[in-house]
Every structure is written in C-alpha cells, then in structure tokens.
Amino acid sequence: MSKITITPATGTWVVRAGGAVLGESANALELQEDGYPMIVYFPRGDIAMAFLDRTDHTTACPHKGAASYFSIMSKSTTYVNAAWSYEDPKADVAQIKDHIAFYVQDGVAVEHV
C-alpha cells in the first residue's frame, strides 16, 4: 500500500495561472505519497474559484478516492483539467476535503512565498 502523509505546509503558498494570482494561503497542506512529488493542497476558501470551471473529467485513486477536475480560465488561455479536488476523500486523507491542488505546468505555478 502506498504511504501518504499530510502535514501543514509551512509559510505562505501562492498559485498563479497566466500571470494572475488565483490564491494565497497560510493554511495549505502538503501531501506526500510514496513515489510521487509533494503536492500542495489549498483550502478552497483561499482560491478564486470563479476562475475555475468544473469539467467532466474524474479519476479514482485507491488511497484517496474520486477526484473532480477543474479547468483554469485565464485572460490568454484555458488550462484544461489543471486543478483537482477530492470532495469526499477516504477517511485516511479526510483533511484534504474542501482543498484543491494544481498541476504545475507552463503558465501555472505553485510557489512558497
């Protein structure tokens, strides 16, 4: 079984898309899963959700549950399925409920500030 640890992310984290700040949080979580890079999960309340559009894309993780995906709408482009959230996560990772994570890619950055 994959080992998952979730800890409070130290300091303040920011997510940008297309140069615009989508959110900033001092209450983000770090999720570390064996074999994968660390992922920062932002509280949804700290993200400008108006710039995110839910898509029909979903994935299932045997350890975390079903993920819902969102595209990010920026002035210049749409980043398709660039964010995801576990809206009803499994009990072992319940603290990521109401949080959202982002795929770092050209134009989308997650940074410790």
Side-chain angles (χ1 to χ4, degrees):
M1 176 162 163
S2 183
K3 182 177 182 322
I4 297 174
T5 56
I6 300 171
T7 55
T10 56
T12 300
W13 289 81
V14 65
V15 59
R16 291 182 177 87
V21 173
L22 289 180
E24 184 177 304
S25 182
N27 298 303
L29 298 173
E30 287 184 13
L31 183 143
Q32 184 65 58
E33 184 173 1
D34 287 349
Y36 295 94
M38 184 272 295
I39 299 292
V40 174
Y41 280 81
F42 290 83
R44 281 190 182 209
D46 291 344
I47 299 297
M49 295 297 292
F51 292 100
L52 276 64
D53 190 25
R54 182 185 297 271
T55 70
D56 292 335
H57 185 65
T58 60
T59 57
C61 170
H63 311 295
K64 295 186 289 286
S68 299
Y69 284 77
F70 300 82
S71 291
I72 303 169
M73 311 306 176
S74 79
K75 282 189 280 193
S76 55
T77 190
T78 297
Y79 301 96
V80 178
N81 295 324
W84 72 96
S85 181
Y86 291 93
E87 296 177 358
D88 189 21
K90 295 195 173 194
D92 288 349
V93 295
Q95 58 265 60
I96 63 173
K97 182 175 176 62
D98 299 322
H99 286 66
I100 191 163
F102 298 86
Y103 284 114
V104 173
Q105 57 188 285
D106 188 27
V108 178
V110 173
E111 301 165 339
H112 185 243
V113 294

